[in-house]
Amino acid sequence: MDKHLKFSSKAEAESVLFDKVEDGLVPKFGISVDVIGLIYKETGKILKSAEGPIPETKPVAGWHVNVRGVGPDDFSEYEVTVATPSRAWA
């Protein structure tokens, strides 16, 4: 099962989803993890730049992660419903 998760911070996501090993972090529970991190959405405003007009963006609150291979009740406190995912599994 695939889920979209939102944490309050990178540190929280890492503590919930990963085990620390000598060389870094490995996913817990045998799951696949796709760390998205910060997501930026357009505000509707257009900014002027030397290269021409560009859309203004603002960060969406939270640290975002997709997981695959979890059960229906796993990570339910972090699960969010996403109408249009920024990134999805292929």
Side-chain angles (χ1 to χ4, degrees):
M1 173 175 241
D2 297 343
K3 289 190 176 190
H4 305 285
L5 307 179
K6 179 175 140 181
F7 296 89
S8 62
S9 67
K10 178 181 179 181
E12 180 184 30
E14 287 179 349
S15 71
V16 170
L17 298 173
F18 295 95
D19 286 321
K20 291 182 182 180
V21 295
E22 189 174 317
D23 295 341
L25 301 171
V26 295
K28 292 181 180 180
F29 318 112
I31 61 174
S32 297
V33 178
D34 177 25
V35 177
I36 297 167
L38 295 176
I39 296 174
Y40 290 84
K41 295 287 183 183
E42 293 183 8
T43 65
K45 286 180 147 184
I46 301 296
L47 304 174
K48 295 179 183 178
S49 76
E51 292 81 32
I54 57 171
E56 177 185 63
T57 61
K58 288 193 174 185
V60 175
W63 188 259
H64 305 269
V65 179
N66 291 339
V67 293
R68 172 171 270 184
V70 298
D73 297 327
D74 295 339
F75 310 112
S76 58
E77 67 263 36
Y78 304 104
E79 189 173 7
V80 292
T81 302
V82 180
T84 307
S86 294
R87 211 160 61 203
W89 298 98

Coordinates of all heavy atoms in Angstrom, one line a residue:
M1 N 0.8 -1.2 0.0 CA 0.0 0.0 0.0 C 0.9 1.2 0.0 O 1.9 1.3 0.7 CB -0.9 0.0 1.2 CG -1.7 1.2 1.4 SD -2.9 1.1 2.8 CE -4.4 1.3 1.9
D2 N 0.5 2.2 -0.8 CA 1.2 3.5 -0.8 C 0.5 4.5 0.0 O -0.7 4.5 0.1 CB 1.3 4.0 -2.3 CG 2.0 3.1 -3.2 OD1 2.8 2.2 -2.7 OD2 1.9 3.3 -4.4
K3 N 1.3 5.4 0.7 CA 0.8 6.5 1.5 C 1.6 7.7 1.3 O 2.8 7.7 1.0 CB 0.8 6.1 2.9 CG -0.2 5.0 3.3 CD -0.3 4.9 4.8 CE -1.4 3.9 5.2 NZ -1.7 3.9 6.6
H4 N 0.9 8.9 1.4 CA 1.5 10.2 1.4 C 1.5 10.6 2.9 O 0.5 10.6 3.5 CB 0.7 11.2 0.6 CG 0.5 10.8 -0.8 ND1 1.5 10.8 -1.7 CD2 -0.6 10.3 -1.4 CE1 1.0 10.4 -2.9 NE2 -0.3 10.1 -2.7
L5 N 2.7 11.0 3.4 CA 2.9 11.3 4.8 C 3.4 12.8 4.9 O 4.1 13.2 4.1 CB 3.8 10.4 5.5 CG 3.6 8.9 5.4 CD1 4.7 8.1 6.1 CD2 2.2 8.5 5.9
K6 N 3.0 13.4 6.0 CA 3.4 14.8 6.3 C 3.8 14.8 7.8 O 3.1 14.5 8.7 CB 2.3 15.8 6.1 CG 2.7 17.2 6.4 CD 1.5 18.1 6.0 CE 1.3 19.2 7.0 NZ 0.2 20.1 6.6
F7 N 5.1 15.2 8.0 CA 5.6 15.4 9.3 C 5.9 16.8 9.6 O 6.0 17.6 8.7 CB 7.0 14.6 9.4 CG 6.8 13.1 9.2 CD1 6.9 12.6 7.9 CD2 6.6 12.3 10.3 CE1 6.7 11.2 7.7 CE2 6.4 10.9 10.1 CZ 6.5 10.4 8.8
S8 N 6.1 17.1 10.9 CA 6.3 18.5 11.3 C 7.7 19.0 10.9 O 8.0 20.2 10.7 CB 6.1 18.7 12.8 OG 7.0 17.9 13.5
S9 N 8.7 18.0 10.8 CA 10.0 18.3 10.4 C 10.8 17.1 9.8 O 10.3 16.0 9.9 CB 10.8 18.8 11.7 OG 10.9 17.7 12.6
K10 N 11.9 17.4 9.3 CA 12.8 16.4 8.7 C 13.2 15.4 9.8 O 13.2 14.2 9.7 CB 14.0 17.0 8.0 CG 15.0 16.0 7.5 CD 16.2 16.7 6.9 CE 17.2 15.7 6.3 NZ 18.4 16.4 5.7
A11 N 13.6 16.0 11.0 CA 14.0 15.2 12.1 C 12.9 14.2 12.6 O 13.2 13.0 12.9 CB 14.5 16.1 13.3
E12 N 11.7 14.7 12.6 CA 10.6 13.8 13.0 C 10.4 12.7 12.0 O 10.3 11.5 12.4 CB 9.3 14.6 13.2 CG 8.1 13.7 13.6 CD 6.8 14.4 13.6 OE1 6.6 15.4 12.8 OE2 5.9 14.0 14.4
A13 N 10.4 13.0 10.7 CA 10.3 12.0 9.7 C 11.4 10.9 9.8 O 11.2 9.7 9.7 CB 10.3 12.6 8.3
E14 N 12.6 11.4 10.0 CA 13.8 10.5 10.1 C 13.6 9.6 11.3 O 13.9 8.4 11.2 CB 15.1 11.2 10.1 CG 15.4 11.8 8.7 CD 16.7 12.6 8.7 OE1 17.3 12.9 9.8 OE2 17.1 12.9 7.6
S15 N 13.2 10.1 12.4 CA 13.1 9.3 13.6 C 12.0 8.2 13.5 O 12.1 7.2 14.1 CB 12.8 10.2 14.8 OG 11.5 10.7 14.8
V16 N 10.9 8.5 12.8 CA 9.8 7.6 12.6 C 10.1 6.5 11.5 O 9.8 5.4 11.7 CB 8.5 8.4 12.3 CG1 7.4 7.4 11.9 CG2 8.1 9.2 13.4
L17 N 10.7 7.0 10.4 CA 10.9 6.1 9.2 C 12.2 5.4 9.1 O 12.3 4.4 8.3 CB 10.6 6.9 8.0 CG 9.2 7.5 7.8 CD1 9.2 8.4 6.6 CD2 8.2 6.4 7.8
F18 N 13.2 5.8 9.8 CA 14.6 5.3 9.5 C 15.3 4.8 10.8 O 15.0 5.3 11.9 CB 15.4 6.4 8.9 CG 15.0 6.8 7.5 CD1 14.2 7.9 7.3 CD2 15.4 6.1 6.4 CE1 13.8 8.3 6.1 CE2 15.0 6.5 5.1 CZ 14.2 7.6 5.0
D19 N 16.2 3.9 10.6 CA 17.1 3.4 11.6 C 18.4 4.0 11.3 O 18.8 4.1 10.1 CB 17.2 1.9 11.7 CG 16.0 1.2 12.3 OD1 15.5 1.8 13.3 OD2 15.6 0.2 11.8
K20 N 19.2 4.5 12.3 CA 20.5 5.0 12.1 C 21.5 3.8 12.0 O 21.5 3.0 12.9 CB 20.9 6.0 13.2 CG 20.1 7.3 13.1 CD 20.6 8.2 14.2 CE 19.7 9.5 14.1 NZ 20.0 10.5 15.1
V21 N 22.4 3.9 11.0 CA 23.4 2.9 10.9 C 24.7 3.6 10.7 O 24.7 4.9 10.6 CB 23.2 1.9 9.7 CG1 22.0 1.1 10.0 CG2 23.1 2.6 8.4
E22 N 25.8 2.9 10.7 CA 27.1 3.6 10.7 C 27.3 4.5 9.5 O 27.8 5.6 9.6 CB 28.2 2.5 10.6 CG 29.6 3.0 10.7 CD 30.6 1.9 10.8 OE1 30.4 0.9 11.5 OE2 31.7 2.1 10.2
D23 N 26.7 4.1 8.3 CA 26.9 4.9 7.1 C 25.8 5.9 6.8 O 25.7 6.5 5.8 CB 27.0 4.0 5.9 CG 28.3 3.2 5.9 OD1 29.2 3.6 6.7 OD2 28.4 2.2 5.2
G24 N 24.8 6.0 7.7 CA 23.6 6.9 7.5 C 22.3 6.4 8.0 O 22.3 5.9 9.1
L25 N 21.3 6.4 7.2 CA 20.0 5.9 7.5 C 19.5 4.9 6.6 O 19.7 4.9 5.4 CB 19.0 7.1 7.5 CG 19.4 8.3 8.4 CD1 18.4 9.5 8.1 CD2 19.2 8.0 9.8
V26 N 18.7 3.9 7.1 CA 18.0 2.9 6.3 C 16.6 2.8 6.8 O 16.3 3.0 7.9 CB 18.7 1.5 6.5 CG1 20.1 1.5 5.9 CG2 18.7 1.0 7.9
P27 N 15.7 2.6 5.8 CA 14.3 2.6 6.1 C 14.0 1.4 7.1 O 14.5 0.3 7.0 CB 13.6 2.3 4.8 CG 14.6 2.8 3.8 CD 15.9 2.5 4.3
K28 N 13.1 1.7 8.1 CA 12.6 0.7 9.0 C 11.6 -0.2 8.3 O 11.0 0.2 7.3 CB 11.9 1.4 10.2 CG 12.8 2.2 11.1 CD 12.1 2.8 12.3 CE 13.0 3.6 13.2 NZ 12.3 4.1 14.3
F29 N 11.3 -1.3 8.9 CA 10.1 -2.1 8.6 C 10.2 -2.7 7.2 O 9.2 -3.2 6.7 CB 8.8 -1.4 8.8 CG 8.7 -0.5 10.0 CD1 8.7 0.9 9.9 CD2 8.7 -1.1 11.2 CE1 8.6 1.7 11.0 CE2 8.6 -0.3 12.4 CZ 8.6 1.1 12.3
G30 N 11.3 -2.6 6.4 CA 11.3 -3.1 5.1 C 10.5 -2.4 4.1 O 10.1 -2.9 3.1
I31 N 10.2 -1.1 4.3 CA 9.4 -0.3 3.4 C 10.2 0.5 2.5 O 11.4 0.6 2.7 CB 8.5 0.7 4.2 CG1 9.3 1.7 5.0 CG2 7.5 -0.1 5.1 CD1 8.5 2.8 5.7
S32 N 9.6 1.0 1.4 CA 10.3 1.9 0.5 C 9.9 3.3 0.8 O 8.7 3.6 1.1 CB 9.9 1.6 -1.0 OG 10.3 0.3 -1.3
V33 N 10.9 4.2 0.8 CA 10.7 5.6 1.2 C 11.1 6.5 0.1 O 12.2 6.4 -0.4 CB 11.4 5.9 2.6 CG1 11.2 7.3 3.0 CG2 11.0 4.9 3.7
D34 N 10.3 7.5 -0.2 CA 10.6 8.5 -1.2 C 10.5 9.9 -0.4 O 9.4 10.3 -0.2 CB 9.7 8.5 -2.4 CG 9.9 9.6 -3.4 OD1 11.1 10.1 -3.5 OD2 9.0 9.9 -4.1
V35 N 11.6 10.4 0.0 CA 11.6 11.7 0.7 C 11.4 12.8 -0.3 O 12.3 13.0 -1.2 CB 12.9 11.9 1.5 CG1 12.9 13.2 2.2 CG2 13.0 10.8 2.5
I36 N 10.4 13.6 -0.1 CA 10.1 14.7 -1.0 C 10.6 16.0 -0.3 O 11.2 16.9 -0.9 CB 8.6 14.9 -1.3 CG1 8.2 13.6 -2.1 CG2 8.3 16.2 -2.0 CD1 6.7 13.5 -2.1
G37 N 10.4 16.1 1.0 CA 10.9 17.2 1.8 C 9.9 18.4 1.7 O 8.7 18.2 1.8
L38 N 10.4 19.6 1.4 CA 9.6 20.8 1.3 C 8.9 20.8 -0.1 O 9.5 20.4 -1.1 CB 10.4 22.0 1.4 CG 11.0 22.3 2.8 CD1 11.9 23.5 2.7 CD2 10.0 22.4 3.8
I39 N 7.7 21.2 -0.1 CA 6.9 21.3 -1.3 C 6.5 22.8 -1.5 O 6.1 23.4 -0.5 CB 5.6 20.5 -1.3 CG1 5.9 19.0 -1.2 CG2 4.7 20.8 -2.5 CD1 4.7 18.1 -1.1
Y40 N 6.7 23.3 -2.7 CA 6.3 24.7 -2.9 C 5.2 24.8 -3.9 O 5.1 24.0 -4.9 CB 7.5 25.5 -3.5 CG 8.7 25.7 -2.5 CD1 9.6 24.7 -2.3 CD2 8.7 26.8 -1.8 CE1 10.6 24.8 -1.4 CE2 9.8 27.0 -0.9 CZ 10.7 26.0 -0.7 OH 11.7 26.2 0.3
K41 N 4.2 25.6 -3.6 CA 3.0 25.8 -4.4 C 3.0 27.2 -4.9 O 3.3 28.2 -4.2 CB 1.7 25.5 -3.6 CG 1.6 24.0 -3.2 CD 1.3 23.2 -4.4 CE 1.1 21.7 -4.0 NZ 0.8 20.8 -5.0
E42 N 2.5 27.4 -6.1 CA 2.3 28.8 -6.6 C 1.2 29.5 -5.9 O 0.2 29.0 -5.5 CB 2.0 28.7 -8.1 CG 3.1 28.2 -8.9 CD 2.9 28.2 -10.4 OE1 1.8 28.8 -10.9 OE2 3.7 27.6 -11.2
T43 N 1.5 30.8 -5.7 CA 0.5 31.7 -4.9 C -0.5 32.4 -5.9 O -1.5 32.9 -5.4 CB 1.2 32.8 -4.2 OG1 1.9 33.7 -5.1 CG2 2.3 32.2 -3.2
G44 N -0.2 32.4 -7.2 CA -1.1 33.1 -8.1 C -0.5 34.4 -8.5 O -0.9 35.1 -9.5
K45 N 0.5 34.9 -7.8 CA 1.2 36.2 -8.1 C 2.3 35.9 -9.1 O 2.9 34.8 -9.1 CB 1.8 36.8 -6.9 CG 0.8 37.4 -5.9 CD 1.6 38.0 -4.8 CE 1.0 39.3 -4.2 NZ 1.8 39.9 -3.2
I46 N 2.6 36.9 -10.0 CA 3.7 36.8 -10.9 C 4.7 37.8 -10.5 O 4.4 39.0 -10.3 CB 3.2 37.1 -12.3 CG1 2.2 36.0 -12.8 CG2 4.4 37.1 -13.3 CD1 2.7 34.6 -12.8
L47 N 6.0 37.4 -10.4 CA 7.1 38.3 -10.0 C 7.9 38.7 -11.2 O 8.0 37.9 -12.2 CB 8.0 37.6 -9.0 CG 7.3 37.1 -7.7 CD1 8.3 36.3 -6.9 CD2 6.7 38.3 -6.9
K48 N 8.4 39.9 -11.2 CA 9.3 40.3 -12.3 C 10.7 39.9 -12.0 O 11.1 40.1 -10.9 CB 9.1 41.8 -12.5 CG 7.8 42.2 -13.0 CD 7.7 43.7 -13.1 CE 6.3 44.1 -13.5 NZ 6.1 45.6 -13.7
S49 N 11.4 39.4 -13.0 CA 12.8 39.1 -12.8 C 13.6 39.5 -14.1 O 13.0 39.8 -15.1 CB 13.0 37.6 -12.5 OG 12.9 36.9 -13.7
A50 N 14.9 39.5 -14.0 CA 15.7 39.9 -15.2 C 15.5 38.9 -16.3 O 15.6 39.3 -17.5 CB 17.2 39.8 -14.8
E51 N 15.1 37.7 -16.0 CA 14.8 36.7 -17.0 C 13.3 36.7 -17.5 O 13.0 35.9 -18.4 CB 15.1 35.3 -16.5 CG 16.6 35.0 -16.3 CD 17.1 35.5 -14.9 OE1 16.3 35.6 -14.0 OE2 18.2 35.9 -14.9
G52 N 12.5 37.6 -16.9 CA 11.1 37.7 -17.3 C 10.3 37.3 -16.1 O 10.7 37.1 -15.0
P53 N 8.9 37.3 -16.3 CA 8.0 37.0 -15.2 C 8.1 35.5 -14.8 O 8.3 34.6 -15.6 CB 6.6 37.2 -15.9 CG 6.8 37.2 -17.3 CD 8.3 37.5 -17.6
I54 N 8.1 35.4 -13.4 CA 8.1 34.0 -12.8 C 7.0 34.0 -11.8 O 6.7 34.9 -11.1 CB 9.5 33.7 -12.2 CG1 9.8 34.7 -11.2 CG2 10.5 33.6 -13.3 CD1 11.1 34.4 -10.4
P55 N 6.4 32.8 -11.6 CA 5.4 32.6 -10.6 C 6.0 32.7 -9.2 O 7.0 32.0 -8.9 CB 4.7 31.3 -10.9 CG 5.7 30.5 -11.7 CD 6.6 31.6 -12.4
E56 N 5.3 33.4 -8.3 CA 5.7 33.4 -6.9 C 5.3 32.0 -6.2 O 4.2 31.5 -6.5 CB 5.0 34.5 -6.1 CG 5.4 34.5 -4.6 CD 4.6 35.6 -3.9 OE1 3.3 35.5 -3.9 OE2 5.2 36.5 -3.3
T57 N 6.1 31.5 -5.4 CA 5.8 30.2 -4.7 C 6.0 30.4 -3.2 O 6.8 31.3 -2.8 CB 6.6 29.0 -5.2 OG1 8.0 29.3 -4.9 CG2 6.4 28.8 -6.7
K58 N 5.3 29.6 -2.4 CA 5.4 29.6 -1.0 C 5.5 28.1 -0.5 O 4.8 27.3 -1.1 CB 4.3 30.3 -0.3 CG 4.3 31.8 -0.4 CD 3.3 32.4 0.5 CE 3.5 33.9 0.4 NZ 2.7 34.6 1.4
P59 N 6.3 27.8 0.5 CA 6.3 26.4 1.0 C 5.0 26.0 1.6 O 4.3 26.8 2.3 CB 7.5 26.4 2.0 CG 7.6 27.8 2.4 CD 7.1 28.7 1.3
V60 N 4.7 24.7 1.4 CA 3.5 24.1 2.1 C 4.1 23.6 3.4 O 5.2 23.0 3.5 CB 3.0 22.9 1.3 CG1 1.9 22.1 2.0 CG2 2.5 23.4 -0.1
A61 N 3.4 23.8 4.5 CA 3.8 23.4 5.8 C 4.1 21.9 5.9 O 3.4 21.1 5.3 CB 2.8 23.8 6.9
G62 N 5.2 21.6 6.6 CA 5.6 20.2 6.8 C 6.7 19.7 6.0 O 7.2 20.3 5.1
W63 N 7.1 18.4 6.3 CA 8.1 17.7 5.6 C 7.4 16.5 5.0 O 6.8 15.7 5.7 CB 9.2 17.2 6.6 CG 10.4 16.6 5.9 CD1 10.7 15.3 5.9 CD2 11.5 17.3 5.3 NE1 11.9 15.1 5.2 CE2 12.4 16.4 4.8 CE3 11.8 18.7 5.1 CZ2 13.5 16.7 4.2 CZ3 12.9 19.0 4.4 CH2 13.8 18.0 3.9
H64 N 7.5 16.3 3.7 CA 6.6 15.4 3.0 C 7.4 14.1 2.5 O 8.5 14.3 2.0 CB 6.0 16.1 1.8 CG 5.2 17.3 2.2 ND1 3.9 17.3 2.6 CD2 5.6 18.6 2.4 CE1 3.5 18.5 2.9 NE2 4.6 19.3 2.9
V65 N 6.8 13.0 2.7 CA 7.4 11.7 2.4 C 6.3 10.8 1.8 O 5.2 10.7 2.3 CB 8.0 11.0 3.6 CG1 8.6 9.7 3.3 CG2 9.0 12.0 4.3
N66 N 6.7 10.0 0.7 CA 5.8 8.9 0.2 C 6.4 7.6 0.7 O 7.7 7.5 0.7 CB 5.8 9.0 -1.3 CG 5.0 10.1 -1.9 OD1 4.2 10.8 -1.2 ND2 5.3 10.5 -3.1
V67 N 5.6 6.7 1.1 CA 6.0 5.4 1.5 C 5.3 4.3 0.7 O 4.1 4.5 0.4 CB 5.9 5.1 3.0 CG1 6.9 6.0 3.8 CG2 4.5 5.3 3.5
R68 N 5.9 3.2 0.5 CA 5.3 2.0 -0.2 C 5.6 0.8 0.6 O 6.7 0.6 1.2 CB 5.9 1.9 -1.6 CG 5.5 0.7 -2.3 CD 5.9 0.7 -3.7 NE 4.8 1.3 -4.5 CZ 4.7 1.5 -5.8 NH1 5.7 1.1 -6.5 NH2 3.7 2.0 -6.4
G69 N 4.6 -0.1 0.7 CA 4.8 -1.4 1.3 C 4.4 -1.4 2.8 O 4.9 -2.1 3.6
V70 N 3.4 -0.5 3.1 CA 2.9 -0.4 4.5 C 1.5 -0.9 4.5 O 0.8 -1.0 3.5 CB 3.0 1.1 5.0 CG1 4.4 1.6 5.0 CG2 2.1 2.0 4.1
G71 N 1.1 -1.2 5.8 CA -0.3 -1.7 6.0 C -1.2 -0.5 6.1 O -0.8 0.6 6.2
P72 N -2.5 -0.8 6.0 CA -3.6 0.3 6.1 C -3.5 1.1 7.3 O -3.9 2.3 7.3 CB -4.9 -0.5 5.9 CG -4.6 -1.9 6.1 CD -3.1 -2.1 5.9
D73 N -3.1 0.6 8.4 CA -3.1 1.3 9.7 C -1.7 1.9 10.0 O -1.6 2.7 11.0 CB -3.5 0.4 10.9 CG -5.0 0.0 10.7 OD1 -5.8 0.8 10.1 OD2 -5.3 -1.1 11.1
D74 N -0.7 1.6 9.3 CA 0.7 2.1 9.5 C 0.8 3.6 9.2 O 0.3 4.1 8.2 CB 1.7 1.4 8.7 CG 1.8 -0.1 9.0 OD1 1.4 -0.5 10.1 OD2 2.3 -0.9 8.1
F75 N 1.3 4.3 10.2 CA 1.6 5.7 10.0 C 0.4 6.6 9.8 O 0.4 7.7 9.3 CB 2.6 6.0 8.8 CG 3.8 5.2 8.9 CD1 4.1 4.2 7.9 CD2 4.7 5.4 9.9 CE1 5.2 3.4 8.0 CE2 5.9 4.6 10.0 CZ 6.1 3.6 9.0
S76 N -0.8 6.1 10.3 CA -2.0 6.8 10.1 C -2.0 8.2 10.7 O -2.7 9.1 10.1 CB -3.2 6.0 10.6 OG -3.1 5.8 12.0
E77 N -1.3 8.4 11.7 CA -1.3 9.8 12.3 C -0.5 10.8 11.5 O -0.7 12.0 11.6 CB -0.7 9.8 13.7 CG 0.8 9.4 13.8 CD 1.1 8.0 14.1 OE1 0.3 7.1 13.7 OE2 2.1 7.7 14.8
Y78 N 0.2 10.3 10.5 CA 1.0 11.2 9.6 C 0.4 11.3 8.2 O 0.8 12.0 7.3 CB 2.4 10.8 9.5 CG 3.1 10.7 10.8 CD1 3.4 9.5 11.4 CD2 3.5 11.9 11.5 CE1 4.0 9.4 12.6 CE2 4.1 11.8 12.7 CZ 4.4 10.6 13.3 OH 5.0 10.5 14.5
E79 N -0.6 10.4 7.9 CA -1.1 10.3 6.5 C -2.0 11.5 6.2 O -2.7 12.0 7.0 CB -2.0 9.0 6.4 CG -2.4 8.7 5.0 CD -3.1 7.3 4.9 OE1 -3.4 6.7 6.0 OE2 -3.4 6.9 3.8
V80 N -1.8 11.9 4.9 CA -2.6 13.0 4.4 C -3.2 12.6 3.0 O -2.6 11.8 2.3 CB -1.7 14.3 4.2 CG1 -1.3 14.9 5.5 CG2 -0.5 14.1 3.3
T81 N -4.3 13.1 2.7 CA -5.0 12.9 1.5 C -4.5 14.0 0.5 O -4.5 15.2 0.8 CB -6.5 13.0 1.6 OG1 -6.9 12.0 2.6 CG2 -7.2 12.7 0.3
V82 N -4.0 13.6 -0.7 CA -3.4 14.5 -1.6 C -4.2 14.4 -2.9 O -4.3 13.3 -3.5 CB -1.9 14.1 -1.9 CG1 -1.3 15.0 -2.9 CG2 -1.2 14.1 -0.6
A83 N -4.8 15.5 -3.4 CA -5.6 15.5 -4.6 C -4.7 15.4 -5.8 O -4.9 14.7 -6.8 CB -6.4 16.8 -4.7
T84 N -3.6 16.1 -5.8 CA -2.6 16.1 -6.9 C -1.2 16.0 -6.3 O -0.6 16.9 -5.9 CB -2.7 17.4 -7.7 OG1 -4.0 17.6 -8.1 CG2 -1.8 17.3 -9.0
P85 N -0.7 14.7 -6.3 CA 0.6 14.5 -5.7 C 1.7 15.3 -6.4 O 1.7 15.3 -7.7 CB 0.8 13.0 -5.8 CG -0.5 12.4 -6.0 CD -1.3 13.5 -6.7
S86 N 2.7 15.8 -5.7 CA 3.9 16.4 -6.3 C 4.7 15.4 -7.0 O 5.4 15.6 -7.9 CB 4.7 17.2 -5.3 OG 3.9 18.3 -4.8
R87 N 4.7 14.2 -6.4 CA 5.5 13.0 -6.9 C 4.8 11.8 -6.5 O 4.2 11.7 -5.4 CB 6.9 13.1 -6.3 CG 7.9 12.5 -7.2 CD 9.3 12.9 -6.9 NE 9.8 12.6 -5.5 CZ 10.8 13.2 -4.9 NH1 11.3 14.3 -5.4 NH2 11.2 12.8 -3.7
A88 N 4.8 10.8 -7.4 CA 4.1 9.5 -7.1 C 5.0 8.3 -7.6 O 5.9 8.5 -8.4 CB 2.8 9.4 -7.8
W89 N 4.7 7.1 -7.0 CA 5.5 6.0 -7.5 C 5.2 5.6 -8.9 O 4.0 5.8 -9.3 CB 5.1 4.8 -6.6 CG 5.5 5.0 -5.1 CD1 4.6 5.4 -4.1 CD2 6.8 4.8 -4.5 NE1 5.3 5.4 -2.9 CE2 6.6 5.1 -3.1 CE3 8.0 4.4 -5.0 CZ2 7.7 5.1 -2.3 CZ3 9.1 4.4 -4.1 CH2 8.9 4.7 -2.7
A90 N 6.1 5.2 -9.6 CA 5.9 4.8 -11.1 C 5.3 3.4 -11.1 O 5.4 2.6 -10.3 CB 7.2 4.8 -11.8

